[in-house]
Amino acid sequence: MTLQVSTGHGQDELALLTETVRLAADNVARGGGPFGALVARNGEVLAVGSNQVTPTLDPTAHAEVVAIRGACRRLGDFRLTGCVLVTSCEPCPLCLSAALWARVDRVLYAADRHDAAAAGFDDLAFHRLFETPRETWSVRVEQIDHAERTAPFAAWLARPDRTKY
């Protein structure tokens, strides 16, 4: 899909946000979740995504992740430096982490975590969870000491041809 806009300010950003809201609404009409996203660079939309969690049975197939995966494939790189991630809703911690790992320059969103919570989504609860100590979480996350725990990192560091993240 090509939506030619500048990723500067004002009307251009509004056009990108409008497209993600349209993607989200179209996804709802097809029976999916109310989330849409796109990745753009230099005014060109590289990839779009809509929430695919239920049709693919993949809890990580959020709109932002789908768009990031598509943009990375299109560019042939796992880094999206110089790109903007635009979403119909504030990214949840999963999607925000994906954006950080992808090294996007900027994230823009329309609705926020409170809007998602009002529609019955867990985003707000997950944002709040990360603000609390791990020992209070309902899911136990714990480290177990292992004698070889750093062996994979030593092997990584020993490779002169490793790709820097």
Side-chain angles (χ1 to χ4, degrees):
M1 178 201 146
T2 304
L3 177 69
Q4 288 290 335
V5 295
S6 161
T7 55
H9 293 91
Q11 291 300 98
D12 297 335
E13 292 173 348
L14 187 58
L16 292 171
L17 285 168
T18 298
E19 179 61 14
T20 64
V21 171
R22 186 196 63 76
L23 288 166
D26 288 353
N27 200 48
V28 170
R30 290 189 306 273
F35 302 96
L38 62 81
V39 175
R41 182 176 68 181
N42 298 327
E44 179 185 3
V45 174
L46 300 175
V48 299
S50 58
N51 185 284
Q52 299 296 307
V53 171
T54 56
T56 63
L57 305 177
D58 179 354
T60 69
H62 292 200
E64 296 90 338
V65 174
V66 172
I68 287 169
R69 288 173 180 163
C72 288
R73 280 191 302 274
R74 180 158 176 198
L75 294 177
D77 196 344
F78 61 88
R79 294 167 294 235
L80 296 176
T81 306
C83 295
V84 60
L85 172 65
V86 184
T87 75
S88 62
C89 186
E90 179 180 6
C92 71
L94 167 76
C95 295
L96 187 55
S97 295
L100 293 171
W101 277 109
R103 310 296 199 260
V104 299
D105 288 5
R106 193 167 180 217
V107 177
L108 303 174
Y109 60 90
D112 67 17
R113 61 184 79 175
H114 302 284
D115 299 318
F121 290 89
D122 293 349
D123 301 47
L124 183 58
F126 291 141
H127 282 285
R128 287 181 176 154
L129 175 69
F130 284 102
E131 297 170 358
T132 64
R134 273 195 193 168
E135 48 280 353
T136 66
W137 294 9
S138 61
V139 173
R140 289 176 54 181
V141 179
E142 53 191 316
Q143 181 182 21
I144 297 175
D145 193 27
H146 189 281
E148 297 295 317
R149 74 180 184 271
T150 61
F153 295 115
W156 169 257
L157 290 170
R159 288 193 63 110
D161 62 340
R162 66 185 179 270
T163 301
K164 191 174 180 178
Y165 280 63

